[in-house]
Amino acid sequence: MTHDPVLTPTSHPTFGVGAIGAGRVGAVLAAALRAAGHDVVAAAGESDASRGRIDHLLPGVAVAKPTDVARASDLLLLTVPDDMLSNVVTMLTASGAIHAGQVVVHTSGRHGLAVLEPARQVGARTIALHPAMTFTGTEVDLPRLSGCVFGVTADEDDRALAESLVADLGGTPMWVREEHRTLYHAGLAHGANHLVTLVAEAMEILSAAGAADPAATLRPLLTAALDNALEDGDAALTGPIVRGDVETVRAHVTDLRKTAPQTLPSYVAMARATLDRAVTDGRLLPIRAAAILRVLDAVEAPTPRARQPR
């Protein structure tokens, strides 16, 4: 049974929250809303990992079927994978589990309000609210929400409610237009997900070079590079490409081919992108850039090698 949102003396609405999808994001956000004074009434999670997160982060919260979770909540938090979201909304709406007056919030970066249209048509208030953060699915994530930016898309009438929810989560709203949701998400994925791949490959290269602790070797350098890039953009660029060191780049690709060939395609791709940016901002003479480009063009991509499971 749902209950009407309660208004505190400061007119702060509190909700009976239901969470569908107790993955790394859902369980943490539900726990944060609970800490902010909301009542988490039920959660749905099918895997052992999801149920473990519910037990750990949401002790005492009932585990139920998605339709039962939706019916029991007046704020429904949907934290399912992007490609499942449309089907979940359609199914819950068709079953009557999503209903008029309910607040339905999804946390997909890619999607905006369109995916929640079935819910809106039956009278629900809809909000897209995506945390620009990576999650472990543990209590470690809770303090990380402080100051986290949330990409929010909401109708004008729901903006105050969206701001209130983001504030309860400790974050800061960034308003994203419906047509820009995918672009917003691509920027985050390119920066964060591809960074993980880049760092992992860099550690593989250093391991091949004999580093006993590649992470410790990289940490001060990468921390400084990230801080400088966030502060100064392209002006933070250093290294052989911006200096025009053609033979250094040639030596890099030669040794990578011999010792860490799995990293060569991404090295070449990033070198090309870096080269373009260095020329565009005027830090590299076109004649030097052309010489580096010839080195990169001469690289034949190795046959991809399947990674062995760990």
Side-chain angles (χ1 to χ4, degrees):
M1 174 181 292
T2 62
H3 58 275
D4 293 333
V6 176
L7 294 181
T8 68
T10 58
S11 297
H12 179 282
T14 59
F15 294 97
V17 178
I20 295 179
R24 296 184 181 187
V25 177
V28 170
L29 294 188
L33 288 173
R34 191 187 213 185
H38 299 279
D39 180 20
V40 179
V41 296
E46 296 183 359
S47 70
D48 291 342
S50 292
R51 289 173 179 263
R53 279 187 283 266
I54 294 171
D55 288 343
H56 186 65
L57 290 170
L58 300 167
V61 170
V63 178
K65 296 187 301 183
T67 51
D68 291 338
V69 172
R71 288 190 176 96
S73 60
D74 42 53
L75 190 154
L76 180 61
L77 189 63
L78 300 176
T79 59
V80 300
D82 288 358
D83 289 352
M84 292 176 56
L85 182 56
S86 178
N87 287 339
V88 169
V89 174
T90 299
M91 179 272 293
L92 292 174
T93 304
S95 70
I98 288 178
H99 47 269
Q102 191 174 37
V103 180
V104 180
V105 178
H106 78 67
T107 60
S108 166
R110 172 196 165 196
H111 291 292
L113 297 181
V115 73
L116 297 176
E117 180 61 17
R120 190 194 67 79
Q121 288 183 0
V122 298
R125 303 170 70 180
T126 57
I127 297 172
L129 188 152
H130 173 260
M133 177 57 64
T134 185
F135 287 79
T136 66
T138 69
E139 66 276 359
V140 170
D141 298 327
L142 292 170
R144 291 177 177 173
L145 291 175
S146 178
C148 173
V149 171
F150 284 75
V152 183
T153 305
D155 290 335
E156 191 65 32
D157 291 345
D158 294 324
R159 286 172 72 102
L161 172 58
E163 287 181 329
S164 174
L165 292 174
V166 171
D168 285 345
L169 292 166
T172 302
M174 169 188 168
W175 299 103
V176 183
R177 292 168 58 179
E178 178 77 13
E179 63 269 26
H180 289 164
R181 290 294 297 194
T182 299
L183 191 63
Y184 153 81
H185 192 235
L188 297 179
H190 188 42
N193 304 154
H194 298 168
L195 177 63
V196 173
T197 301
L198 182 65
V199 173
E201 288 193 348
M203 289 196 292
E204 289 176 0
I205 294 169
L206 287 174
S207 292
D213 189 347
T217 303
L218 283 170
R219 184 170 284 109
L221 173 64
L222 295 187
T223 300
L226 179 59
D227 287 345
N228 292 343
L230 291 174
E231 183 71 25
D232 299 320
D234 287 323
L237 184 63
T238 63
I241 288 184
V242 75
R243 292 194 300 264
D245 291 338
V246 180
E247 294 308 315
T248 297
V249 175
R250 192 191 311 277
H252 284 179
V253 299
T254 298
D255 273 19
L256 289 176
R257 184 191 302 281
K258 295 176 182 176
T259 310
Q262 73 278 7
T263 69
L264 189 56
S266 55
Y267 177 95
V268 171
M270 290 303 300
R272 288 181 187 276
T274 303
L275 189 65
D276 288 343
R277 300 185 76 87
V279 172
T280 299
D281 74 2
R283 296 181 63 191
L284 181 63
L285 292 175
I287 190 170
R288 303 296 292 176
I292 294 175
L293 186 59
R294 286 194 293 271
V295 172
L296 299 175
D297 285 344
V299 176
E300 295 181 4
T303 301
R305 186 176 70 186
R307 291 179 58 84
Q308 296 300 313
R310 296 181 180 181

